[in-house]
Amino acid sequence: MEKKVGVYICTDCGIGEALNVEQLQNVANEYKPAVCKVHSFLCSQEGVQEIKNDIQNEGINTLVIAACSMRVNHDVFNFDPMKYVTERVNLREHVVWTQPPNDEKTQLLAEDYLRMGIIRAQKAEPPEPKTAELEKTILVVGGGIAGLSAALEVVKAGYKAVIVEKAPELGGWMRKMYKTLPSKPPYAEPEKSNIEEKIKAVMEHPDIKVYTNSIVVSIEGEPGMFDVTVCSNEAVKMPEIKKPKAEGEEAEAEGEGEEGKAEAKQEEASEEAGPTRYPLPECSAPETFRVGAIVFAIGWKPYDASKLEDLGYGKFKNVVTNVELEEMASNGGIKRPSDGKAVKNAVFIQCAGQRDENHLPYCSSVCCLTSLKQAKYIREANRDAGAFIIYKDMRTPGLYENFYKTMQDDEGVFLLKGELLGMEEAEDGTIKVKVENKLLNRTDVINADLVVLATGMVTNMVPEDREPNKLTPEFIGDIVTKQTDSGPVEELVPVPIALHLKYRQGPEMPHLKYGFPDSHFICFPYETRRTGIYAAGATRHPMDAAQAEMDGAGAALKAIQCIELTSEGKAVHPRAGDMTFPEFYLANCTQCRRCTVECPFGVLDEDEKGTPQEHPYRCRRCGTCMGACPQRIISFKDYSVDMISSMLKEIQVPDDQDFPYIIGFICENDAYPALDMAGINKIQFPPNFRFIRLRCLGGMNLVWIADALSKGVDGVILIGCKFGDDYQCHFIKGSQMANERLGKVQETLDRLMLEADRVELQQLAINEYYRLPEILNQFLEKVKEIGPNPYKGF
C-alpha cells in the first residue's frame, strides 16, 4: 500500500521529563512522515481520538506510537490490522525507566529506537489472511475416558465428532476398573465408574460416528483439511518394521542376487533425495473422510512387570500388579493366585520400577492413590485383613488429601516409609517381605498373602518393543547410517505408531522424554508440535480418570478454537490472532531443505527435488524457516530479513572508541517482557544496548550478525528462552536452534576478521528480569576487553 506515516510521541510516564522530545521530533521528521505529533497523554481518550482524526482526515495508514511497551495498552492502540500498520516504540520501559534522565546516552538510545521503529513500520504491510470454508468435524483417536469426554464436549458445542478405537469396544481401562478415586465431597470414598453412561451417550448421539476395532492408517493435510483414512483391524496389513540396513550390509536372503542388489542401490539413491521412512499400514477396505482438528487420546499401558523379577513378579506365585488386582476386584473378588484363598495380609510396594533409571525414571503420580484405593478393597473384603503400603513418598495432590487422611484413620491400613530389602516365598505361597523402616530406623518383616506392585503408566506413544528410558531423541525410531554425496551420515528414522501422518518430518508426534508428546507444558499443555492435533489424557502424561476426563474436554475446546481461528486465517497459539503467513520466493530456492528440517512444527513438506511445499494452516508464525533460509527467500508481510537488516542500517553507531555499541536480538515471549519488568522495577542497565525484538530466536538469520558487525557494532547478544529438557521456548526449539546456528557464525566472523567472542547467546526466563544487569554488564566488559570493532567509523 502507499504509505502515509504518522509518528506519535507520548510525554507521559516520565518520558517528557527524561528526554528531549523536540529532538525526537527532529529525528522522526528525517523520515518525512505525513504527521509527527507530541501528546502529553497519548493513551487517553483524547490522545487516541487525535490519532483517529488523522487516520480519517489525513489518510494516515502507518502508525508509529512512541510511548509504552507493546505489551500494555494493546486494547487502546487497537487499529484495524487489515487496514493499518501499527508499530510500538518502547520509550518508557526500555529507555526512561532503565536509564538516567536527561543524559546524552539516554537520548541517543531513544533516538535509535525511534529510527528503527519508523523503518520497521515502513517495511511492514497489512496481512493478507488465507481464509476458507473448512471442515469442522473433529477426529478423536482413542475411545477411553479422555476420548469419550472429548467427543461429548465437541457435540455439546455444536460440532461433529468421529471416534476411532482399535479395541472391539469403547471404554479403555475404565471398563476394567472396579472403582475410581473419589470425585465428590468429602472425597473420602472410592466410587463406581460412570464409564458405561458415557459410552451410552456417545453411541446414541447422532453427531458422533464411532469406529471400533479400527485404526487410523493415514492422515495428511492441515488444520481444517485433514484427510483421514480409517481401516478395520481385519482389513489392515501392518508393515514389518525392520531397521534399514547400514552401509555395507548385504541384502537379506530374500533379496540376494543381482536383482536384489540393484533394488538396494535404487533405494540408496532415492534416500539421497529425502528422508528415509518406514512404510505405513495398508488397507484393503479403506474409509476416508475429512476433519478439521484431531484429539489424540490413545491412552496408556502398564509398565511390563516381567522386567521386575527382583520384586518377585513371575518368580513368586502371589506377586501381582496393581492392574491385575483391579481386574480381580472386578471379577469376583481378590484371591491369592496360588490357591484361590482369601487375602489376610497384603503388601503394596510403591514405585515398582518407577523413579528408577533402569525402568521408568519418572513418577506416574497416580499409583499412591491407587494403592490406597486397593487397600480399601482388601479391608472391605475382610475387616480383619491388613494392608501394608511401603512407600518412598506418598503423593496425594489436591483434594485427594482427604482420601489419604481417611485411609490413615483405618486401623487396618499401615503406611510404612521404607525400602524393600528382600522377599522370600514359603511353601504355602506366603511371602516374607523384609523392609528397612525409614521412620523408625529398624528392619520390619511382614508375612504377606499377596504382594501388589504399583507399576507405572507408559504412554501408548511407546511401541511394545521399545523401552521408555531408551528412546531416540525427539522422534521414536531408529538411528541408521545413510549414504549421501557428502559421505555416510546418521539419520533418525521415526517408526509409525498411531496417527501415521504423511508429514515430511515423520509419521508421529515428536516426544520430549519417555514417549510423552512434546508440548510447552506450562503455557500450552494440550498443544503438540503438530498444529491442529491436541493430546489428552494419559497419552500426554500420567493422570487419573478424573483428570483424563477434564483433559479430554480441554483438548476438545482447543481443537474447536483451532478450527474457528484457522477459518479466519488466524494463528491459534502462541501468536494467537496473527494473520500473516510465510511467503516463499521459490524461484531462488536451492533445495537445501533447512526450512523443512528445522521447522519445529512440521509445517513444510517437500517434493522429490527438495523444494518446500506449503501447508499454511500448520504454521505458527514463529519465523524459524525465515531464520534457517540462507537464500533469504522467506518473509512475512510484517516481518522479514530485509526489515531487520534495514533497521540495522539506520542505527547511529558513534565513533567513540570508548563506548562499545551493542545490538541485542531478543525473543518477544520471554526476553522482551523481562526487559519490561526490569523497567517497571526501575532496574538500571547500560545504555550501550539496542534491542531488536524477534518473534522467536529461532528466526535469527546469521546475515543480521554480518550486517551489524560490518556497520561497526562492537558486539551482538542474543537473549532467548531457556532450552533443553525443561525448555520454556513458546516455539519449542527457537533458542536451541539459534544456539546451533551460532556454531556456524565463525565463518562470518572469519570473513570479517573479527573475534568470535563478539557474539554471545544468553538464556533468560521471563521471571529472571533481575539477572539482566549482570548479563548485560558481563557482556559489555567482555566486549571492552576485545576492543573496538575495526569497522567503526567506516
Side-chain angles (χ1 to χ4, degrees):
M1 69 182 184
E2 181 183 351
K3 292 294 183 71
K4 291 200 73 175
V5 178
V7 179
Y8 301 90
I9 304 171
C10 181
T11 60
D12 197 19
C13 301
I15 296 173
E17 290 82 4
L19 299 174
N20 183 335
V21 176
E22 184 179 347
Q23 180 57 28
L24 284 177
Q25 281 186 287
N26 294 337
V27 168
N29 286 324
E30 294 172 8
Y31 297 89
K32 297 180 172 54
V35 169
C36 181
K37 293 184 176 180
V38 174
H39 198 281
S40 61
F41 191 5
L42 195 57
C43 63
S44 66
Q45 186 175 349
E46 294 79 10
V48 174
Q49 188 58 49
E50 187 160 346
I51 297 174
K52 290 179 178 179
N53 291 341
D54 288 343
I55 290 172
Q56 183 174 352
N57 301 327
E58 305 296 331
I60 299 300
N61 56 19
T62 303
L63 309 167
V64 179
I65 298 172
C68 49
S69 168
M70 68 174 188
R71 294 176 62 86
V72 298
N73 288 328
H74 42 78
D75 55 333
V76 175
F77 301 117
N78 182 23
F79 303 100
D80 187 349
M82 301 299 295
K83 297 179 180 178
Y84 312 108
V85 171
T86 303
E87 176 61 26
R88 303 282 297 276
V89 177
N90 192 340
L91 295 182
R92 189 178 72 174
E93 287 86 347
H94 291 192
V95 181
V96 302
W97 284 1
T98 60
Q99 305 296 327
N102 301 308
D103 184 272
E104 180 185 2
K105 292 173 182 175
T106 303
Q107 182 71 25
L108 293 175
L109 178 61
E111 291 173 9
D112 273 345
Y113 277 139
L114 186 57
R115 290 186 182 96
M116 290 192 290
I118 293 172
I119 290 297
R120 190 166 198 148
Q122 288 178 342
K123 289 287 183 177
E125 296 285 342
E128 295 178 3
K130 300 178 182 181
T131 59
E133 284 293 324
L134 303 178
E135 178 57 58
K136 295 188 176 182
T137 300
I138 292 173
L139 170 67
V140 180
V141 185
I145 183 65
L148 295 174
S149 175
L152 289 170
E153 292 299 323
V154 163
V155 294
K156 281 181 188 176
Y159 298 80
K160 294 182 179 181
V162 178
I163 298 177
V164 178
E165 167 57 52
K166 70 177 182 179
E169 58 186 18
L170 300 174
W173 287 104
M174 284 290 288
R175 294 196 85 162
K176 300 179 180 180
M177 298 294 168
Y178 177 55
K179 289 185 179 180
T180 62
L181 294 171
S183 64
K184 300 185 291 290
Y187 299 94
E189 296 291 331
E191 304 165 0
K192 282 293 184 182
S193 167
N194 67 346
I195 193 67
E196 296 299 334
E197 297 171 16
K198 285 193 174 292
I199 293 172
K200 185 174 185 291
V202 163
M203 296 302 294
E204 293 179 352
H205 203 290
D207 289 334
I208 301 178
K209 172 73 173 175
V210 177
Y211 294 89
T212 54
N213 201 37
S214 301
I215 67 167
V216 174
V217 293
S218 74
I219 298 175
E220 53 187 313
E222 55 195 298
M225 297 183 286
F226 285 119
D227 290 321
V228 181
T229 301
V230 170
C231 189
S232 69
N233 291 337
E234 291 79 11
V236 72
K237 180 183 178 183
M238 298 301 293
E240 185 178 359
I241 302 298
K242 287 186 177 180
K243 184 175 178 179
K245 303 179 189 69
E247 181 192 8
E249 285 189 79
E250 294 297 323
E252 297 289 340
E254 190 177 342
E256 284 181 354
E258 293 304 316
E259 185 178 345
K261 290 177 181 177
E263 288 178 2
K265 287 285 185 184
Q266 186 175 1
E267 287 178 10
E268 183 179 287
S270 67
E271 284 175 359
E272 294 187 16
T276 308
R277 288 288 174 262
Y278 288 122
L280 297 180
E282 298 176 1
C283 184
S284 59
E287 183 157 352
T288 299
F289 51 88
R290 176 163 284 191
V291 300
I294 300 165
V295 174
F296 184 56
I298 62 172
W300 63 281
K301 53 180 167 281
Y303 183 69
D304 184 0
S306 66
K307 299 180 174 67
L308 303 175
E309 190 174 340
D310 59 320
L311 298 180
Y313 191 86
K315 180 180 178 183
F316 302 143
K317 296 182 287 290
N318 292 320
V319 175
V320 300
T321 68
N322 47 6
V323 171
E324 292 169 342
L325 184 79
E326 200 72 35
E327 291 174 343
M328 285 185 202
S330 298
N331 297 318
I334 300 169
K335 308 292 184 184
R336 297 203 329 168
S338 63
D339 53 20
K341 291 182 179 179
V343 175
K344 296 179 180 178
N345 278 336
V347 171
F348 294 84
I349 298 177
Q350 297 308 104
C351 300
Q354 300 181 72
R355 301 166 71 183
D356 183 339
E357 293 299 325
N358 296 316
H359 298 285
L360 293 185
Y362 56 87
C363 167
S364 293
S365 76
V366 184
C367 308
C368 293
L369 286 161
T370 299
S371 292
L372 289 169
K373 178 187 72 170
Q374 293 179 344
K376 193 166 186 64
Y377 297 168
I378 300 290
R379 294 282 294 140
E380 286 176 342
N382 181 356
R383 293 308 298 172
D384 294 326
F388 299 81
I389 300 177
I390 303 169
Y391 67 94
K392 293 180 181 178
D393 302 284
M394 188 59 69
R395 297 181 175 181
T396 56
L399 291 169
Y400 287 136
E401 187 76 9
N402 292 353
F403 180 47
Y404 178 30
K405 289 179 179 177
T406 299
M407 296 307 296
Q408 282 179 313
D409 292 338
D410 188 323
E411 62 184 11
V413 175
F414 305 92
L415 302 169
L416 196 160
K417 182 178 176 66
E419 293 287 342
L420 182 67
L421 297 177
M423 292 191 290
E424 296 177 8
E425 186 181 48
E427 288 185 7
D428 66 351
T430 302
I431 300 171
K432 184 181 291 185
V433 181
K434 186 181 291 188
V435 183
E436 180 188 355
N437 190 320
K438 297 284 189 179
L439 295 180
L440 300 179
N441 194 26
R442 72 185 189 192
T443 299
D444 290 336
V445 177
I446 307 166
N447 290 316
D449 297 308
L450 188 70
V451 172
V452 184
L453 304 182
T455 53
M457 303 172 76
V458 179
T459 172
N460 278 332
M461 279 273 289
V462 179
E464 295 293 343
D465 60 344
R466 311 271 166 158
E467 298 294 331
N469 60 336
K470 297 178 181 177
L471 300 175
T472 48
E474 192 165 12
F475 291 93
I476 299 170
D478 297 308
I479 303 292
V480 302
T481 301
K482 176 180 175 180
Q483 270 302 115
T484 69
D485 294 337
S486 305
V489 296
E490 286 193 337
E491 180 186 18
L492 172 58
V493 184
V495 295
I497 300 167
L499 290 177
H500 304 122
L501 301 169
K502 291 188 175 180
Y503 280 38
R504 189 263 181 220
Q505 289 188 3
E508 301 297 335
M509 224 67 79
H511 77 110
L512 180 60
K513 259 191 170 183
Y514 316 127
F516 297 110
D518 193 3
S519 72
H520 191 297
F521 191 84
I522 298 172
C523 296
F524 312 107
Y526 300 110
E527 283 83 350
T528 66
R529 281 174 53 187
R530 296 294 174 258
T531 306
I533 304 178
Y534 300 91
T539 306
R540 71 178 188 90
H541 75 79
M543 62 180 70
D544 62 49
Q547 287 178 296
E549 188 172 352
M550 290 187 290
D551 221 48
L557 295 177
K558 291 301 295 185
I560 292 169
Q561 181 191 51
C562 172
I563 293 171
E564 292 301 332
L565 287 178
T566 299
S567 68
E568 299 173 12
K570 296 178 180 178
V572 184
H573 51 81
R575 292 182 59 83
D578 188 345
M579 292 184 284
T580 63
F581 287 84
E583 300 173 356
F584 295 77
Y585 186 64
L586 293 177
N588 287 351
C589 178
T590 61
Q591 290 80 38
C592 70
R593 295 189 172 92
R594 290 182 189 173
C595 59
T596 61
V597 171
E598 292 192 22
C599 174
F601 309 109
V603 170
L604 302 168
D605 292 332
E606 59 189 41
D607 63 18
E608 63 280 357
K609 295 180 181 178
T611 304
Q613 294 178 320
E614 299 177 59
H615 294 282
Y617 293 148
R618 295 182 192 173
C619 181
R620 300 197 189 172
R621 284 61 155 195
C622 60
T624 295
C625 55
M626 188 180 86
C629 181
Q631 296 298 106
R632 290 165 267 172
I633 67 166
I634 306 172
S635 63
F636 298 77
K637 289 293 185 186
D638 62 353
Y639 187 52
S640 66
V641 175
D642 174 61
M643 171 187 285
I644 306 299
S645 292
S646 298
M647 291 167 66
L648 290 168
K649 290 175 184 175
E650 290 303 310
I651 57 176
Q652 303 295 303
V653 180
D655 294 337
D656 186 351
Q657 301 290 313
D658 296 324
F659 183 79
Y661 193 95
I662 299 170
I663 290 292
F665 294 102
I666 59 174
C667 108
E668 68 180 13
N669 294 302
D670 272 44
Y672 187 97
L675 282 165
D676 278 358
M677 292 167 74
I680 291 168
N681 287 278
K682 303 300 191 293
I683 295 175
Q684 302 289 292
F685 45 76
N688 307 69
F689 294 82
R690 273 63 174 159
F691 294 109
I692 298 176
R693 77 176 189 276
L694 306 180
R695 293 184 175 187
C696 173
L697 223 55
M700 177 70 202
N701 197 296
L702 294 183
V703 71
W704 296 332
I705 294 178
D707 288 346
L709 295 175
S710 60
K711 174 82 175 177
V713 168
D714 296 293
V716 176
I717 188 169
L718 283 64
I719 307 178
C721 308
K722 293 192 170 183
F723 54 87
D725 287 346
D726 297 320
Y727 70 83
Q728 296 177 9
C729 177
H730 284 54
F731 295 106
I732 312 295
K733 297 174 66 180
S735 295
Q736 177 183 329
M737 285 187 289
N739 191 54
E740 290 170 1
R741 284 183 202 143
L742 283 188
K744 306 169 187 173
V745 79
Q746 189 61 52
E747 180 182 339
T748 298
L749 296 170
D750 288 345
R751 188 172 68 249
L752 295 171
M753 293 183 288
L754 293 173
E755 301 83 355
D757 285 347
R758 289 187 185 274
V759 183
E760 178 177 291
L761 183 143
Q762 286 284 343
Q763 303 174 53
L764 185 75
I766 191 172
N767 61 345
E768 293 181 331
Y769 60 90
Y770 57 86
R771 292 182 54 220
L772 279 166
E774 177 188 3
I775 290 171
L776 299 179
N777 280 308
Q778 284 182 354
F779 186 64
L780 177 60
E781 290 305 312
K782 181 194 289 188
V783 172
K784 285 180 179 178
E785 290 177 12
I786 297 170
N789 184 339
Y791 291 91
K792 183 174 283 191
F794 284 88

